Protein backbone atom coordinates (compact mmCIF):
# COMPACT_ATOMS: atom_id res chain seq x y z
CA UNK A 1 0.00 0.00 0.00
CA UNK A 2 2.39 2.64 -1.19
CA UNK A 3 1.14 6.20 -1.17
CA UNK A 4 1.61 8.34 -4.20
CA UNK A 5 4.31 10.92 -3.60
CA UNK A 6 3.11 14.51 -3.35
CA UNK A 7 4.69 15.84 -6.51
CA UNK A 8 3.08 18.81 -8.19
CA UNK A 9 1.94 16.75 -11.17
CA UNK A 10 0.49 13.99 -8.98
CA UNK A 11 -1.48 16.45 -6.92
CA UNK A 12 -2.76 18.22 -10.00
CA UNK A 13 -3.86 15.03 -11.72
CA UNK A 14 -5.49 13.59 -8.59
CA UNK A 15 -7.55 16.64 -7.82
CA UNK A 16 -8.48 17.02 -11.47
CA UNK A 17 -9.69 13.43 -11.75
CA UNK A 18 -11.64 13.63 -8.49
CA UNK A 19 -13.40 16.86 -9.42
CA UNK A 20 -14.27 15.57 -12.88
CA UNK A 21 -15.78 12.39 -11.47
CA UNK A 22 -17.66 14.37 -8.79
CA UNK A 23 -18.96 16.86 -11.36
CA UNK A 24 -20.13 14.17 -13.74
CA UNK A 25 -21.91 12.13 -11.09
CA UNK A 26 -23.63 15.24 -9.70
CA UNK A 27 -24.81 16.21 -13.17
CA UNK A 28 -26.13 12.72 -13.70
CA UNK A 29 -28.05 12.64 -10.39
CA UNK A 30 -29.39 16.13 -11.03
CA UNK A 31 -30.76 15.00 -14.37
CA UNK A 32 -32.27 11.97 -12.69
CA UNK A 33 -34.03 13.89 -9.92
CA UNK A 34 -35.18 16.84 -12.02
CA UNK A 35 -38.52 15.31 -12.89
CA UNK A 36 -39.41 13.88 -9.47
CA UNK A 37 -38.45 17.22 -7.91
CA UNK A 38 -40.85 19.11 -10.16
CA UNK A 39 -43.49 16.47 -9.56
CA UNK A 40 -43.13 16.73 -5.79
CA UNK A 41 -43.50 20.50 -5.99
CA UNK A 42 -46.58 20.26 -8.18
CA UNK A 43 -48.15 17.61 -5.94
CA UNK A 44 -47.64 19.88 -2.96
CA UNK A 45 -49.21 22.83 -4.74
CA UNK A 46 -52.20 20.80 -5.93
CA UNK A 47 -52.75 19.44 -2.45
CA UNK A 48 -52.63 22.92 -0.94
CA UNK A 49 -55.11 24.18 -3.55
CA UNK A 50 -57.52 21.37 -2.76
CA UNK A 51 -57.32 22.27 0.90
CA UNK A 52 -57.89 26.02 0.61
CA UNK A 53 -60.44 26.15 -2.19
CA UNK A 54 -63.98 24.82 -2.47
CA UNK A 55 -64.54 21.93 -4.85
CA UNK A 56 -63.41 22.69 -8.38
CA UNK A 57 -63.10 20.85 -11.68
CA UNK A 58 -60.79 23.06 -13.68
CA UNK A 59 -57.00 23.04 -13.46
CA UNK A 60 -56.00 26.12 -11.42
CA UNK A 61 -52.32 25.30 -11.70
CA UNK A 62 -52.49 25.61 -15.47
CA UNK A 63 -54.53 28.79 -15.31
CA UNK A 64 -52.26 30.42 -12.76
CA UNK A 65 -51.98 34.17 -12.90
CA UNK A 66 -48.67 35.65 -11.87
CA UNK A 67 -48.73 39.34 -11.12
CA UNK A 68 -46.07 41.69 -9.90
CA UNK A 69 -46.72 43.39 -6.62
CA UNK A 70 -44.85 45.87 -4.48
CA UNK A 71 -45.81 43.82 -1.47
CA UNK A 72 -43.68 40.78 -2.35
CA UNK A 73 -40.22 40.15 -3.70
CA UNK A 74 -41.26 37.68 -6.38
CA UNK A 75 -44.42 37.81 -8.39
CA UNK A 76 -47.54 36.71 -6.55
CA UNK A 77 -49.40 33.64 -7.75
CA UNK A 78 -53.17 33.75 -8.03
CA UNK A 79 -55.13 30.58 -8.68
CA UNK A 80 -58.75 30.62 -9.70
CA UNK A 81 -60.98 27.66 -8.96
CA UNK A 82 -63.94 27.10 -11.25
CA UNK A 83 -66.70 24.54 -11.20
CA UNK A 84 -68.32 24.23 -14.61
CA UNK A 85 -66.85 27.62 -15.61
CA UNK A 86 -68.30 29.36 -12.57
CA UNK A 87 -65.76 30.97 -10.27
CA UNK A 88 -65.90 29.25 -6.92
CA UNK A 89 -62.92 30.76 -5.21
CA UNK A 90 -59.47 32.26 -5.51
CA UNK A 91 -56.24 31.19 -3.86
CA UNK A 92 -53.42 33.66 -3.36
CA UNK A 93 -49.92 32.88 -2.14
CA UNK A 94 -49.13 35.36 0.59
CA UNK A 95 -45.65 35.78 2.00
CA UNK A 96 -43.82 37.82 4.57
CA UNK A 97 -40.25 38.19 5.77
CA UNK A 98 -41.35 39.24 9.22
CA UNK A 99 -41.49 35.74 10.70
CA UNK A 100 -39.41 34.88 13.74
CA UNK A 101 -36.96 33.07 11.46
CA UNK A 102 -37.57 34.83 8.17
CA UNK A 103 -39.80 33.87 5.30
CA UNK A 104 -43.31 32.57 5.86
CA UNK A 105 -45.30 31.55 2.81
CA UNK A 106 -48.97 30.71 3.04
CA UNK A 107 -51.76 29.99 0.60
CA UNK A 108 -55.00 31.78 1.36
CA UNK A 109 -58.23 30.64 -0.26
CA UNK A 110 -60.89 33.32 -0.71
CA UNK A 111 -64.55 32.71 -1.44
CA UNK A 112 -66.07 34.84 -4.19
CA UNK A 113 -67.37 37.28 -1.54
CA UNK A 114 -63.87 37.87 -0.20
CA UNK A 115 -64.22 35.80 2.98
CA UNK A 116 -61.39 33.44 3.85
CA UNK A 117 -62.19 29.83 3.07
CA UNK A 118 -59.04 28.19 4.42
CA UNK A 119 -55.32 28.78 4.84
CA UNK A 120 -52.41 26.39 4.34
CA UNK A 121 -48.82 27.05 5.36
CA UNK A 122 -46.46 26.42 2.45
CA UNK A 123 -43.07 27.39 3.83
CA UNK A 124 -41.89 28.39 7.28
CA UNK A 125 -38.87 28.11 9.50
CA UNK A 126 -40.50 29.05 12.80
CA UNK A 127 -39.58 27.55 16.15
CA UNK A 128 -40.90 23.99 16.45
CA UNK A 129 -43.50 23.71 19.16
CA UNK A 130 -44.13 27.45 19.28
CA UNK A 131 -44.39 29.20 15.93
CA UNK A 132 -45.16 25.96 14.10
CA UNK A 133 -48.49 25.87 15.95
CA UNK A 134 -49.71 28.26 13.25
CA UNK A 135 -50.33 25.12 11.20
CA UNK A 136 -52.82 23.85 13.74
CA UNK A 137 -56.56 23.83 13.23
CA UNK A 138 -57.36 25.86 16.36
CA UNK A 139 -55.24 28.77 15.16
CA UNK A 140 -56.25 28.80 11.49
CA UNK A 141 -59.90 28.50 12.45
CA UNK A 142 -59.71 32.06 13.82
CA UNK A 143 -59.30 33.35 10.26
CA UNK A 144 -62.01 31.30 8.58
CA UNK A 145 -65.07 33.06 7.18
CA UNK A 146 -63.58 36.44 8.00
CA UNK A 147 -63.19 39.05 5.35
CA UNK A 148 -59.89 40.90 5.74
CA UNK A 149 -61.55 43.88 4.08
CA UNK A 150 -64.08 44.26 6.91
CA UNK A 151 -62.48 42.43 9.85
CA UNK A 152 -59.33 43.48 11.65
CA UNK A 153 -57.06 40.47 11.42
CA UNK A 154 -54.32 41.82 13.63
CA UNK A 155 -53.53 40.19 16.96
CA UNK A 156 -55.60 41.16 19.99
CA UNK A 157 -52.50 42.86 21.39
CA UNK A 158 -52.57 45.18 18.38
CA UNK A 159 -56.31 45.70 18.67
CA UNK A 160 -57.40 43.00 16.26
CA UNK A 161 -59.50 39.86 16.45
CA UNK A 162 -56.82 37.18 16.46
CA UNK A 163 -55.53 35.57 19.64
CA UNK A 164 -51.76 35.27 19.30
CA UNK A 165 -50.08 31.89 19.75
CA UNK A 166 -48.55 31.46 23.20
CA UNK A 167 -44.90 32.45 23.04
CA UNK A 168 -45.08 33.21 19.34
CA UNK A 169 -46.52 36.69 18.98
CA UNK A 170 -44.04 37.56 16.26
CA UNK A 171 -45.09 34.53 14.23
CA UNK A 172 -48.75 35.42 14.67
CA UNK A 173 -48.16 39.00 13.56
CA UNK A 174 -46.26 37.78 10.53
CA UNK A 175 -49.01 35.31 9.70
CA UNK A 176 -51.67 38.03 9.84
CA UNK A 177 -49.38 40.20 7.79
CA UNK A 178 -49.16 37.54 5.08
CA UNK A 179 -52.94 37.07 5.11
CA UNK A 180 -53.49 40.79 4.69
CA UNK A 181 -50.94 40.92 1.91
CA UNK A 182 -52.71 38.07 0.11
CA UNK A 183 -56.01 39.90 0.49
CA UNK A 184 -54.51 43.12 -0.83
CA UNK A 185 -53.28 41.36 -3.96
CA UNK A 186 -56.60 39.56 -4.31
CA UNK A 187 -58.72 42.71 -4.10
CA UNK A 188 -56.33 44.72 -6.30
CA UNK A 189 -56.62 42.00 -8.90
CA UNK A 190 -60.41 42.01 -8.77
CA UNK A 191 -60.52 45.79 -9.14
CA UNK A 192 -58.11 45.59 -12.06
CA UNK A 193 -60.34 43.03 -13.75
CA UNK A 194 -63.38 45.24 -13.25
CA UNK A 195 -61.61 48.16 -14.86
CA UNK A 196 -60.89 46.19 -18.00
CA UNK B 1 -11.13 -15.74 13.67
CA UNK B 2 -9.15 -12.83 14.96
CA UNK B 3 -10.19 -10.78 11.97
CA UNK B 4 -13.85 -11.24 12.81
CA UNK B 5 -13.47 -9.98 16.37
CA UNK B 6 -11.66 -7.00 14.95
CA UNK B 7 -14.62 -6.10 12.69
CA UNK B 8 -17.09 -6.46 15.51
CA UNK B 9 -14.93 -4.09 17.50
CA UNK B 10 -14.83 -1.63 14.58
CA UNK B 11 -18.60 -1.66 14.47
CA UNK B 12 -19.39 -1.54 18.19
CA UNK B 13 -16.92 1.13 19.24
CA UNK B 14 -18.86 3.83 17.42
CA UNK B 15 -22.07 3.02 19.23
CA UNK B 16 -20.84 3.01 22.82
CA UNK B 17 -17.15 3.37 23.62
CA UNK B 18 -16.41 6.09 21.07
CA UNK B 19 -19.93 7.39 20.50
CA UNK B 20 -19.43 10.41 18.23
CA UNK B 21 -21.80 12.68 20.15
CA UNK B 22 -21.73 11.62 23.79
CA UNK B 23 -18.06 10.61 24.02
CA UNK B 24 -16.13 12.33 21.23
CA UNK B 25 -18.39 15.39 21.04
CA UNK B 26 -18.10 15.57 17.26
CA UNK B 27 -20.63 17.07 14.87
CA UNK B 28 -22.12 19.43 17.44
CA UNK B 29 -23.64 21.77 14.85
CA UNK B 30 -26.37 19.42 13.58
CA UNK B 31 -26.61 17.80 17.00
CA UNK B 32 -27.69 21.04 18.63
CA UNK B 33 -29.39 22.60 15.63
CA UNK B 34 -31.89 20.08 14.30
CA UNK B 35 -32.81 18.00 17.31
CA UNK B 36 -35.90 19.96 18.28
CA UNK B 37 -37.98 16.85 17.60
CA UNK B 38 -37.30 13.12 17.56
CA UNK B 39 -38.22 12.87 13.89
CA UNK B 40 -35.80 15.61 12.85
CA UNK B 41 -33.01 13.97 14.86
CA UNK B 42 -33.68 10.63 13.23
CA UNK B 43 -33.80 12.11 9.72
CA UNK B 44 -30.59 14.06 10.19
CA UNK B 45 -28.92 11.00 11.72
CA UNK B 46 -29.84 8.79 8.78
CA UNK B 47 -28.75 11.38 6.20
CA UNK B 48 -25.40 11.68 7.99
CA UNK B 49 -25.10 7.91 8.28
CA UNK B 50 -25.52 7.59 4.52
CA UNK B 51 -22.93 10.25 3.72
CA UNK B 52 -20.50 8.79 6.25
CA UNK B 53 -20.89 5.30 4.83
CA UNK B 54 -20.38 6.40 1.22
CA UNK B 55 -17.44 8.68 1.99
CA UNK B 56 -15.70 6.05 4.13
CA UNK B 57 -16.13 3.48 1.35
CA UNK B 58 -14.79 5.73 -1.38
CA UNK B 59 -11.94 7.13 0.71
CA UNK B 60 -10.77 3.67 1.72
CA UNK B 61 -10.81 2.59 -1.95
CA UNK B 62 -8.88 5.54 -3.36
CA UNK B 63 -6.59 6.23 -0.39
CA UNK B 64 -3.44 4.91 -2.06
CA UNK B 65 -4.06 7.12 -5.09
CA UNK B 66 -4.25 10.38 -3.18
CA UNK B 67 -1.01 12.26 -2.46
CA UNK B 68 -0.78 13.11 1.25
CA UNK B 69 -0.53 16.86 0.72
CA UNK B 70 -3.90 17.17 -1.04
CA UNK B 71 -5.79 14.51 0.89
CA UNK B 72 -8.03 16.96 2.80
CA UNK B 73 -9.33 18.80 -0.32
CA UNK B 74 -9.80 15.44 -1.99
CA UNK B 75 -11.83 14.09 0.95
CA UNK B 76 -13.91 17.25 1.09
CA UNK B 77 -14.80 16.99 -2.61
CA UNK B 78 -15.87 13.38 -2.10
CA UNK B 79 -17.95 14.25 0.97
CA UNK B 80 -19.49 17.35 -0.63
CA UNK B 81 -20.54 15.33 -3.67
CA UNK B 82 -22.39 12.79 -1.56
CA UNK B 83 -24.03 15.51 0.51
CA UNK B 84 -25.29 17.20 -2.66
CA UNK B 85 -26.62 13.86 -3.89
CA UNK B 86 -28.44 13.33 -0.59
CA UNK B 87 -29.90 16.82 -0.85
CA UNK B 88 -31.18 16.29 -4.39
CA UNK B 89 -32.61 12.86 -3.60
CA UNK B 90 -34.35 14.11 -0.46
CA UNK B 91 -35.85 17.06 -2.32
CA UNK B 92 -37.15 14.78 -5.04
CA UNK B 93 -38.45 11.87 -3.02
CA UNK B 94 -38.91 12.96 0.62
CA UNK B 95 -39.78 16.68 0.26
CA UNK B 96 -41.28 16.75 3.74
CA UNK B 97 -37.98 15.83 5.40
CA UNK B 98 -36.08 18.10 3.02
CA UNK B 99 -38.07 21.08 4.26
CA UNK B 100 -37.67 20.15 7.90
CA UNK B 101 -33.89 19.76 7.76
CA UNK B 102 -33.39 22.74 5.47
CA UNK B 103 -30.02 24.40 5.79
CA UNK B 104 -28.62 21.55 7.86
CA UNK B 105 -28.35 19.18 4.90
CA UNK B 106 -25.65 21.20 3.08
CA UNK B 107 -23.96 21.61 6.46
CA UNK B 108 -23.34 17.86 6.65
CA UNK B 109 -20.27 18.68 4.55
CA UNK B 110 -18.61 20.43 7.46
CA UNK B 111 -19.66 17.86 10.02
CA UNK B 112 -16.29 16.99 11.55
CA UNK B 113 -17.51 13.49 12.27
CA UNK B 114 -17.38 12.62 8.57
CA UNK B 115 -14.06 14.25 7.76
CA UNK B 116 -12.72 12.89 11.03
CA UNK B 117 -13.55 9.31 10.13
CA UNK B 118 -12.21 9.75 6.59
CA UNK B 119 -8.95 11.15 7.90
CA UNK B 120 -8.39 9.01 10.99
CA UNK B 121 -9.92 5.72 9.93
CA UNK B 122 -10.84 5.21 6.27
CA UNK B 123 -7.54 6.58 4.95
CA UNK B 124 -5.64 4.05 7.06
CA UNK B 125 -7.83 0.96 6.94
CA UNK B 126 -9.22 -1.39 4.29
CA UNK B 127 -12.60 -1.26 2.59
CA UNK B 128 -14.44 -3.71 4.84
CA UNK B 129 -13.19 -2.23 8.12
CA UNK B 130 -14.17 1.22 6.88
CA UNK B 131 -17.73 0.05 6.21
CA UNK B 132 -18.02 -1.37 9.72
CA UNK B 133 -16.52 1.77 11.17
CA UNK B 134 -18.94 4.01 9.25
CA UNK B 135 -21.95 1.88 10.19
CA UNK B 136 -20.98 1.87 13.86
CA UNK B 137 -20.24 5.58 14.02
CA UNK B 138 -23.30 6.43 11.93
CA UNK B 139 -25.64 4.35 14.05
CA UNK B 140 -24.10 5.86 17.18
CA UNK B 141 -24.84 9.28 15.70
CA UNK B 142 -28.43 8.31 14.80
CA UNK B 143 -29.05 6.98 18.31
CA UNK B 144 -27.60 10.09 19.92
CA UNK B 145 -29.57 12.53 17.74
CA UNK B 146 -32.81 10.62 18.13
CA UNK B 147 -32.36 10.40 21.90
CA UNK B 148 -31.64 14.10 22.14
CA UNK B 149 -34.53 14.98 19.83
CA UNK B 150 -36.90 12.72 21.74
CA UNK B 151 -35.86 14.21 25.09
CA UNK B 152 -36.39 17.75 23.85
CA UNK B 153 -39.69 16.92 22.19
CA UNK B 154 -41.04 15.12 25.26
CA UNK B 155 -40.09 17.90 27.65
CA UNK B 156 -40.71 20.84 25.36
CA UNK B 157 -43.77 19.81 23.39
CA UNK B 158 -45.27 16.93 25.33
CA UNK B 159 -45.11 14.64 22.36
CA UNK B 160 -42.96 11.92 20.83
CA UNK B 161 -42.64 11.50 17.05
CA UNK B 162 -45.43 14.09 16.83
CA UNK B 163 -47.82 11.99 18.90
CA UNK B 164 -49.09 14.20 21.68
CA UNK B 165 -49.58 12.73 25.12
CA UNK B 166 -50.53 15.88 27.01
CA UNK B 167 -53.57 18.10 26.65
CA UNK B 168 -53.60 20.59 23.79
CA UNK B 169 -53.06 23.65 25.97
CA UNK B 170 -50.87 22.05 28.65
CA UNK B 171 -47.82 23.99 29.76
CA UNK B 172 -44.63 22.29 28.65
CA UNK B 173 -40.98 23.24 29.11
CA UNK B 174 -40.81 25.38 25.98
CA UNK B 175 -37.19 26.11 26.88
CA UNK B 176 -36.20 22.63 25.71
CA UNK B 177 -37.46 23.29 22.19
CA UNK B 178 -35.48 26.55 22.05
CA UNK B 179 -31.70 26.56 21.46
CA UNK B 180 -30.65 26.75 25.14
CA UNK B 181 -32.60 23.57 25.76
CA UNK B 182 -30.36 21.77 23.28
CA UNK B 183 -27.29 22.52 25.37
CA UNK B 184 -28.98 21.56 28.64
CA UNK B 185 -30.41 18.32 27.27
CA UNK B 186 -27.11 17.41 25.60
CA UNK B 187 -25.18 17.97 28.83
CA UNK B 188 -27.48 15.79 30.90
CA UNK B 189 -27.65 13.05 28.29
CA UNK B 190 -23.85 13.04 28.04
CA UNK B 191 -23.53 12.65 31.79
CA UNK B 192 -26.11 9.88 31.80
CA UNK B 193 -24.52 8.09 28.87
CA UNK B 194 -21.04 8.23 30.34
CA UNK B 195 -22.21 7.08 33.74
CA UNK B 196 -23.85 4.04 32.22
CA UNK B 197 -21.01 3.21 29.86
CA UNK B 198 -18.32 3.58 32.57
CA UNK B 199 -20.27 1.34 34.87
CA UNK B 200 -20.68 -1.31 32.20
CA UNK B 201 -16.98 -1.35 31.28
CA UNK B 202 -15.50 -1.40 34.78
Amino acid sequence: MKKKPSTFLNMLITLFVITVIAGLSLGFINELTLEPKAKAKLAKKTKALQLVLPEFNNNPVREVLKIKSDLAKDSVEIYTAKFDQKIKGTAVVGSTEKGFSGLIKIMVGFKPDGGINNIVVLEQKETPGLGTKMKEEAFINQYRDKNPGTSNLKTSKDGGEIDALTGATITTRAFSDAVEMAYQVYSDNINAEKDE
Amino acid sequence: MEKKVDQKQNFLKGIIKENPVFVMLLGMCPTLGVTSSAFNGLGMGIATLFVLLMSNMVVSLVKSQIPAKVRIPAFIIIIASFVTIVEMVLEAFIPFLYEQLGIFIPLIVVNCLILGRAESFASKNNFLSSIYDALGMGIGFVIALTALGATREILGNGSIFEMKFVAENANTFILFILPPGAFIALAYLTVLFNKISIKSTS
Side-chain angles (χ1 to χ4, degrees), chain A residues 6 14 22 37 44 128 136, chain B residues 36 67 69 81 91 99 168 177:
Chain A
S6 297
T14 311
K37 259 197 259 183
K44 201 181 147 197
E136 283 173 13
Chain B
S36 54
K69 273 187 184 168
S81 306
E91 191 182 357
E99 271 162 39
E168 193 58 47
I177 294 285

Side-chain angles (χ1 to χ4, degrees), chain A residues 27-121:
Chain A
F28 177 69
I29 302 272
N30 187 36
E31 200 80 354
L32 222 62
T33 53
L34 218 53
E35 207 178 310
K37 259 197 259 183
K39 233 183 230 167
K41 253 191 186 150
L42 185 73
K44 201 181 147 197
K45 206 169 261 178
T46 317
K47 207 182 141 210
L49 282 170
Q50 277 163 353
L51 283 172
V52 298
L53 291 170
E55 207 183 342
F56 55 86
N57 62 2
N58 67 332
N59 186 345
V61 178
R62 197 171 298 158
E63 295 165 25
V64 63
L65 185 68
K66 286 187 182 169
I67 60 163
K68 271 209 108 42
S69 167
D70 303 333
L71 300 165
K73 270 188 191 164
D74 306 323
S75 54
V76 183
E77 293 166 17
I78 300 180
Y79 301 91
T80 311
K82 293 175 188 159
F83 197 87
D84 295 336
Q85 303 305 319
K86 249 190 88 174
I87 292 180
K88 284 282 174 192
T90 312
V92 182
V93 178
S95 61
T96 178
E97 300 271 346
K98 291 183 190 155
F100 192 67
S101 317
L103 181 75
I104 296 178
K105 230 178 182 180
I106 57 173
M107 188 183 272
V108 189
F110 295 101
K111 293 179 211 158
D113 63 5
I116 292 171
N117 187 47
N118 197 4
I119 303 174
V120 166
V121 178

Side-chain angles (χ1 to χ4, degrees), chain A residues 105-143:
Chain A
K105 230 178 182 180
I106 57 173
M107 188 183 272
V108 189
F110 295 101
K111 293 179 211 158
D113 63 5
I116 292 171
N117 187 47
N118 197 4
I119 303 174
V120 166
V121 178
L122 297 178
E123 273 175 49
Q124 56 88 17
K125 304 184 199 93
E126 301 305 287
T127 318
L130 291 176
T132 50
K133 286 212 173 102
M134 69 180 166
K135 288 182 185 169
E136 283 173 13
E137 180 60 30
F139 177 69
I140 290 185
N141 206 18
Q142 298 189 81
Y143 291 88

